[in-house]
Amino acid sequence: MAVYGGIQVHEAERWLDALTNAAFDRRCPLSKVHGGNARARTARQDLLCLASTFRGEQGESALIADSLSRWCQHYLTETEWYVLVSGKAPRRRPDAAPTRESEQETPEFIEALLQHKVG
């Protein structure tokens, strides 16, 4: 189970910029955001709607930050969240068995995602 922190109102613009850039960067395959399936298109469209609402000052900033936190919980893996928040590549435990999620975590993926870090 992933542990996601809430996004603060004053961080919303940085998060929107980082997530939008990562969502449309093909070098950085966010596992549930890229691809040709409907879920990926919905994820990008939801993110663009949040960004448009925020930048157009059409909604309360606190509600947008809360919606952005829920978007992250729904569409990002724990590793993707960690890299975006910390700006560091995750450490691998030597005793951990490889999973489908960890197989995707190639150095190129991490390097591309690090370019979109929030902090």
Side-chain angles (χ1 to χ4, degrees), residues 6-7 10 17 23 31-33 37 42 50 53 60 65 71 75 78 81 87 93 97 107 109 114 117 119:
I7 295 174
H10 67 276
D17 290 342
S31 63
K32 300 176 189 173
V33 179
N37 62 21
T42 301
L50 284 171
T53 302
E60 189 178 325
W71 187 94
Y75 292 112
E78 189 171 357
W81 172 265
R93 293 191 330 237
F109 161 73
L114 283 171
K117 68 183 173 101

Side-chain angles (χ1 to χ4, degrees), residues 55-68:
R55 292 191 177 103
E57 298 179 1
Q58 299 169 351
E60 189 178 325
S61 296
L63 293 175
I64 293 170
D66 185 50
S67 296
L68 194 55

